[in-house]
Amino acid sequence: MGQTRIILDEAEIPTHWYNVAADLPSPPAPPLGPDGKPVGPEQMLAIFPGPILEQEMSAERWIPIPDEVRAAYALWRPSPLCRAERLEKILGTPAKIFYKYEGVSPAGSHKPNSAIPQAWFNKVAGTKRLVTETGAGQWGSSLAFAGQMFGLPVRIYMVKVSYEQKPYRRLMMQTWGGEVLASPTNLTKTGRDLLAQDPNNQGSLGIAISEAVEEVVTTPGSKYALGSVLNHVILHQTIVGLEAKKQFEKFGEYPDMIFAPCGGGSNFGGAAFPFLADKAAGDKRASNLRCVAVEPASCPTLTKGVYAYDYGDATGYTPLMKMYTLGHDFMPPGIHAGGLRYHGDSPLVSQLHHEKLIEAVAVPQVATFEAGVMFARAEGIIPAPESCHGIRACIDEALRCKQTGEPKTLFFNLSGHGHFDMTAYESYFAGKLTDFEYPAEAIQESLRHLPKVG
Amino acid sequence: MGQTRIILDEAEIPTHWYNVAADLPSPPAPPLGPDGKPVGPEQMLAIFPGPILEQEMSAERWIPIPDEVRAAYALWRPSPLCRAERLEKILGTPAKIFYKYEGVSPAGSHKPNSAIPQAWFNKVAGTKRLVTETGAGQWGSSLAFAGQMFGLPVRIYMVKVSYEQKPYRRLMMQTWGGEVLASPTNLTKTGRDLLAQDPNNQGSLGIAISEAVEEVVTTPGSKYALGSVLNHVILHQTIVGLEAKKQFEKFGEYPDMIFAPCGGGSNFGGAAFPFLADKAAGDKRASNLRCVAVEPASCPTLTKGVYAYDYGDATGYTPLMKMYTLGHDFMPPGIHAGGLRYHGDSPLVSQLHHEKLIEAVAVPQVATFEAGVMFARAEGIIPAPESCHGIRACIDEALRCKQTGEPKTLFFNLSGHGHFDMTAYESYFAGKLTDFEYPAEAIQESLRHLPKVG
């Protein structure tokens, strides 16, 4: 066995995030309002603080990471870059497999990489409290933790069905001092109207977003925070790829292919974009680099969606964004990788895919758990269902290398552990897990409802 | 903020474990059979392999760690040594607080530190399969993981009430390929007899041990593995303190006091014994070192027990060991820190306490969760209920330092995360957690049943 892990020293935590917008072949399409005109900063400032909005619209290539953010990152960063040599042996592949492990964060995933700076920049801008929504709880727990680090109260609208069925994530948020409400609530007009129609409304992510945003625009001192999709979130997540580049240097390697799960895009963008920076800068090592976004076959946004303006949420509350979408009212099947059940995708990831600078592949659910169990038995770590998607695609490539004899260097982002997803593994072992059929008709139907622009 | 964490390079994983038996003021008392005579190796070889038994009885100070074990350790080791500067600030103490974080292991605690070498030495000795028991599942999941690393099948008798109520740990074991049975089973005479009396028997740790040992002595090729108490287990756990010593050097610090939870003793011994080695060698930095074993007030073995020969299990199946004990048939109250509910203690820890080379303190349950939540809000990591005991005692000392103005260097072993214990936090937040009264009468009664020796 060679070196298993490279862990950088705390002083090697990157000092700047990388903004891929500076290296795009054409300028990003702006978000549009309901009137079809670009949304002005004043509208966005009602829900986001100034420094975050600046990052959202910035064309600067490198954006400094404040010392206070680096100090909070140091609670768990730099995260390890590991060589999966045991997995390589089991597969019998000539490929080298590396993974970055983001499950070492307190919340157990990559999400705090953006929650920490979002909490910090809000604190600096004078925000008194943060409001957000969460589905299964990954983002809500990350923001509760981040708010606690900087003394900022956090309220989380949690989808009621998750609130009741997934108490562990809720308890994590409460342990970090977060206030968790089962959405829909009686605190917002959105919630009251829905409960008047049906007191047993079980909630949805779309409803929770609407409640959080409604509260923010009507409550002075409050701001909203989002865990994926937007440019500033992906910017913060580039800490993953930037660290990985330093670690690959120490391994004396450079990836030929990068794999990461892709729901809203922050996991994939965070891992891949810093390597695309090398490609943009003409670095020869990156000249043949391939970056592969891995999505669920049942929610195949990049592989089967259209590139068009659409709402970011299910109900049409947000600005319109140019992105790959399955239609904002498409309801993805109930796969266990809840973090990948999103109808759209990050505008930055979407544009790069549209311009053929990255690739995408869709994988079926059962095969992802098969890969996750194989990985756990080889390397120890039990991966989150979302992370299993990247592992599946990486293993598939390693098996292709076995056929062709190519000694490729493969890299995937292990975005989180599965400690709160063991019931999904139970379904897998019990043979109860299904591959949902490709929801062609539902997608066709929702694509008919795309908003008309211009 | 200064340096937050020191992480060693993989090459700095220690090459030898430290055996405190070499530095004891008097030789350890031998285990005795039911006839009151020392147990011979041939009896022990029926359940443990030769190399493990050699370690159990060794008087060598340094025992080499095989390369294969160091390679498996490298999947998560070296673990970080962290400075809890945010906690210090919240407490307003002049003390410096450091902690070693063992929750980074795949199983989430320090237990794999011994599971890995036990699996390896069994493999080397020709063992075909391992059998063990588990209560809440920490040890069972660690051994399932370790067996998987070396291709050794593992069967785990899991206490039935835990099997049913705590499915997540069971699923972890299954993910790593472990075979988990709800004990009592129909596979052993012990189990069959109990089920004949009561088909709804909910099991106990004592029953599960009896079933595992019965299977091992009646099944060729099978060996037994234990997760605490015995000398070889504590030997393996010294990897924790040995790494911490290197990390303290890099911090330019040396602890004045060490705190660790103490149930069977492997957590405490692993963290503290390597520092006692310095003291034994006349190292001036260690001349005033104080090592504090922290136990639950409801199971106060070292602080309220007697130092005597007693059985290691509840039913009198094991050899007699000289140790602090509350009586082998004492049933500790149902605190959430299941790993600390043990009537006895490691003979090595017991002897050191008897010879006043270490100290012990008992803390009540509610105060441990109060400390755990304070720690989580300061440092991010949500600790296991067992680990909260060490944190409580360390915080109490930090608050004493605030009174006296002493800038002591305090060190505790954060033995694991609480991801599978969130329902305990739920009880705490709901105000439903109780401090069990000191079970004086039950202890008096069980101490009357101590076996007569000699």
Side-chain angles (χ1 to χ4, degrees):
Chain A
M1 292 268 173
Q3 177 93 13
T4 301
R5 301 193 304 162
I6 298 279
I7 305 186
L8 303 172
D9 189 75
E10 196 168 306
E12 295 174 280
I13 293 176
T15 56
H16 293 71
W17 292 296
Y18 167 66
N19 181 10
V20 78
D23 286 322
L24 291 175
S26 53
L32 304 181
D35 56 359
K37 292 182 183 158
V39 177
E42 64 290 345
Q43 288 161 275
M44 302 289 270
L45 280 168
I47 59 170
F48 294 116
I52 288 292
L53 205 56
E54 273 173 44
Q55 292 176 3
E56 183 65 22
M57 324 227 280
S58 173
E60 289 292 316
R61 184 171 288 107
W62 297 102
I63 299 199
I65 307 178
D67 286 346
E68 293 81 357
V69 170
R70 292 179 78 237
Y73 276 168
L75 289 169
W76 76 95
R77 305 206 71 85
S79 70
L81 180 73
C82 311
R83 170 117 183 242
E85 211 172 341
R86 290 162 198 267
L87 179 61
E88 293 166 19
K89 288 212 169 101
I90 289 168
L91 295 172
T93 179
K96 291 177 187 169
I97 301 176
F98 294 86
Y99 64 94
K100 183 86 169 154
Y101 184 39
E102 290 294 310
V104 292
S105 81
S109 80
H110 65 298
K111 292 285 181 190
N113 295 335
S114 184
I116 287 286
Q118 287 197 53
W120 172 252
F121 287 115
N122 269 286
K123 181 84 177 173
V124 167
T127 301
K128 300 300 175 207
R129 54 195 289 279
L130 287 171
V131 184
T132 194
E133 78 289 329
T134 201
Q138 281 277 9
W139 171 246
S141 54
S142 299
L143 196 68
F145 157 61
Q148 183 64 239
M149 289 302 106
F150 299 117
L152 211 53
V154 177
R155 172 178 279 180
I156 302 131
Y157 287 89
M158 185 173 190
V159 177
K160 191 187 276 174
V161 62
S162 298
Y163 183 94
E164 285 164 0
Q165 290 179 359
K166 303 195 171 180
Y168 280 30
R169 279 271 168 204
R170 165 170 61 76
L171 285 161
M172 282 185 103
M173 296 183 237
Q174 292 170 333
T175 303
W176 286 316
E179 182 193 7
V180 191
L181 305 173
S183 165
T185 70
N186 268 313
L187 297 178
T188 66
K189 182 173 182 309
T190 305
R192 282 189 298 271
D193 288 353
L194 289 163
L195 291 172
Q197 288 166 34
D198 175 10
N200 294 317
N201 188 310
Q202 289 298 292
S204 74
L205 204 55
I207 294 169
I209 293 176
S210 299
E211 288 206 85
V213 173
E214 180 187 326
E215 177 177 337
V216 163
V217 295
T218 57
T219 314
S222 299
K223 294 291 177 196
Y224 176 70
L226 194 71
S228 191
V229 181
L230 298 180
N231 302 355
H232 66 274
V233 182
I234 300 191
L235 174 79
H236 303 151
Q237 291 293 352
T238 61
I239 190 84
V240 174
L242 291 165
E243 280 182 12
K245 279 168 66 170
K246 294 189 185 194
Q247 290 163 312
F248 269 112
E249 293 260 347
K250 298 196 183 196
F251 264 120
E253 300 281 347
Y254 195 91
D256 295 306
M257 292 182 75
I258 298 174
F259 303 87
C262 196
S266 76
N267 180 342
F268 171 77
F273 287 1
F275 291 90
L276 289 179
D278 289 347
K279 200 167 189 170
D283 187 325
K284 280 189 182 171
R285 296 172 304 172
S287 56
N288 293 312
L289 174 68
R290 293 169 57 195
C291 299
V292 184
V294 189
E295 50 187 23
S298 57
C299 187
T301 317
L302 293 170
T303 51
K304 301 277 190 181
V306 300
Y307 187 53
Y309 268 104
D310 198 3
Y311 297 108
D313 65 330
T315 47
Y317 205 98
T318 70
L320 294 162
M321 295 183 293
K322 186 84 177 278
M323 60 181 179
Y324 279 88
T325 178
L326 299 168
H328 60 275
D329 55 8
F330 170 66
M331 177 65 79
I335 56 170
H336 285 280
L340 305 182
R341 294 178 69 232
Y342 184 57
H343 70 276
D345 212 319
S346 143
L348 288 172
V349 170
S350 294
Q351 184 176 349
L352 286 162
H353 186 242
H354 184 65
E355 294 177 355
K356 301 199 190 313
L357 293 167
I358 62 165
E359 302 168 37
V361 65
V363 293
Q365 176 164 259
V366 175
T368 65
F369 279 91
E370 184 194 35
V373 170
M374 181 183 279
F375 180 78
R377 291 185 179 175
E379 303 291 325
I381 299 164
I382 299 176
E386 291 82 359
S387 309
C388 290
H389 286 69
I391 299 174
R392 177 74 262 171
C394 184
I395 286 178
D396 286 345
E397 183 64 31
L399 292 172
R400 270 189 290 274
C401 289
K402 188 177 179 178
Q403 298 290 326
T404 62
E406 289 169 286
K408 284 188 186 171
T409 298
L410 310 179
F411 169 44
F412 69 87
N413 190 18
L414 183 53
S415 49
H417 61 61
H419 297 173
F420 297 96
D421 305 286
M422 295 311 296
T423 50
Y425 281 87
E426 182 163 42
S427 299
Y428 170 73
F429 288 124
K432 289 181 187 163
L433 217 59
T434 51
D435 285 335
F436 294 94
E437 290 204 28
Y438 167 57
E441 283 187 30
I443 290 172
Q444 276 190 342
E445 177 62 25
S446 60
L447 285 177
R448 280 191 205 106
H449 309 153
L450 280 184
K452 300 204 174 13
V453 175
Chain B
M1 291 268 174
Q3 177 92 12
T4 301
R5 301 194 304 163
I6 297 280
I7 305 185
L8 303 172
D9 189 74
E10 196 168 307
E12 295 174 279
I13 293 176
T15 57
H16 293 71
W17 293 295
Y18 167 65
N19 181 8
V20 78
D23 286 322
L24 291 175
S26 54
L32 303 181
D35 55 0
K37 290 181 185 161
V39 178
E42 64 289 346
Q43 288 162 274
M44 301 288 270
L45 280 168
I47 59 170
F48 294 116
I52 288 291
L53 205 56
E54 273 172 44
Q55 293 176 2
E56 183 64 23
M57 322 225 284
S58 173
E60 290 291 316
R61 183 170 289 108
W62 297 102
I63 300 201
I65 307 178
D67 286 345
E68 293 82 356
V69 170
R70 292 180 76 235
Y73 276 168
L75 288 170
W76 75 96
R77 305 206 70 85
S79 70
L81 180 73
C82 311
R83 169 118 183 242
E85 211 173 340
R86 288 162 198 270
L87 180 61
E88 295 166 18
K89 288 215 170 99
I90 288 167
L91 295 172
T93 179
K96 291 178 186 168
I97 301 176
F98 293 86
Y99 65 94
K100 183 86 168 154
Y101 184 39
E102 290 294 310
V104 292
S105 81
S109 79
H110 64 300
K111 292 284 180 191
N113 295 335
S114 185
I116 286 287
Q118 287 196 54
W120 172 253
F121 287 115
N122 269 286
K123 182 84 179 172
V124 167
T127 302
K128 299 299 176 209
R129 54 195 288 279
L130 287 171
V131 184
T132 194
E133 78 290 329
T134 201
Q138 281 278 8
W139 172 246
S141 55
S142 299
L143 196 69
F145 158 61
Q148 182 65 239
M149 289 302 104
F150 299 117
L152 211 53
V154 178
R155 173 177 280 182
I156 302 131
Y157 288 91
M158 186 173 190
V159 177
K160 190 186 277 174
V161 61
S162 296
Y163 183 95
E164 287 166 357
Q165 290 180 357
K166 302 195 169 180
Y168 280 29
R169 279 271 168 205
R170 164 168 64 75
L171 285 161
M172 280 185 103
M173 297 182 236
Q174 292 170 334
T175 302
W176 285 316
E179 182 193 7
V180 190
L181 306 172
S183 165
T185 72
N186 268 312
L187 298 178
T188 65
K189 183 172 182 308
T190 305
R192 284 189 298 271
D193 288 353
L194 288 163
L195 291 172
Q197 288 167 35
D198 174 10
N200 294 317
N201 188 309
Q202 288 300 291
S204 73
L205 203 56
I207 294 168
I209 293 176
S210 299
E211 288 205 85
V213 174
E214 180 187 327
E215 177 176 336
V216 164
V217 295
T218 57
T219 313
S222 300
K223 295 289 176 197
Y224 176 70
L226 194 70
S228 190
V229 180
L230 297 180
N231 302 354
H232 66 273
V233 182
I234 299 192
L235 174 78
H236 302 151
Q237 291 293 354
T238 61
I239 191 84
V240 175
L242 292 165
E243 280 182 11
K245 279 168 65 169
K246 294 189 186 195
Q247 291 163 311
F248 269 113
E249 293 258 348
K250 297 196 183 198
F251 265 120
E253 300 281 346
Y254 196 90
D256 296 304
M257 292 183 76
I258 299 174
F259 302 88
C262 195
S266 76
N267 180 341
F268 172 76
F273 287 1
F275 291 91
L276 289 179
D278 289 347
K279 200 168 189 169
D283 186 324
K284 281 189 181 169
R285 294 173 304 172
S287 55
N288 292 312
L289 174 69
R290 293 169 58 194
C291 299
V292 184
V294 189
E295 51 187 23
S298 57
C299 188
T301 317
L302 293 169
T303 50
K304 302 276 189 180
V306 299
Y307 188 51
Y309 269 104
D310 197 3
Y311 296 109
D313 64 330
T315 46
Y317 205 98
T318 70
L320 294 163
M321 295 183 294
K322 185 85 176 279
M323 60 182 178
Y324 279 88
T325 178
L326 298 168
H328 61 276
D329 55 7
F330 170 66
M331 177 64 79
I335 56 170
H336 285 279
L340 305 182
R341 294 179 67 232
Y342 184 56
H343 70 274
D345 212 317
S346 143
L348 288 173
V349 170
S350 295
Q351 185 177 347
L352 286 162
H353 186 243
H354 184 66
E355 293 177 356
K356 302 197 190 312
L357 293 167
I358 62 164
E359 304 168 36
V361 65
V363 291
Q365 175 163 260
V366 175
T368 64
F369 279 91
E370 183 193 37
V373 170
M374 181 183 278
F375 180 79
R377 292 185 178 175
E379 303 291 325
I381 300 163
I382 299 176
E386 291 82 359
S387 308
C388 290
H389 286 69
I391 298 173
R392 175 75 262 170
C394 184
I395 286 179
D396 287 345
E397 183 64 30
L399 292 173
R400 270 190 290 274
C401 289
K402 188 178 179 177
Q403 298 290 326
T404 62
E406 288 169 287
K408 283 187 186 171
T409 299
L410 310 179
F411 169 44
F412 70 87
N413 190 19
L414 184 53
S415 49
H417 62 61
H419 298 172
F420 298 97
D421 305 287
M422 294 311 297
T423 49
Y425 281 88
E426 181 163 42
S427 299
Y428 170 73
F429 287 124
K432 289 183 186 160
L433 218 59
T434 51
D435 285 333
F436 294 94
E437 290 205 28
Y438 167 57
E441 281 186 30
I443 290 172
Q444 276 189 343
E445 178 62 25
S446 62
L447 285 177
R448 280 192 204 102
H449 309 154
L450 280 185
K452 301 204 175 11
V453 175

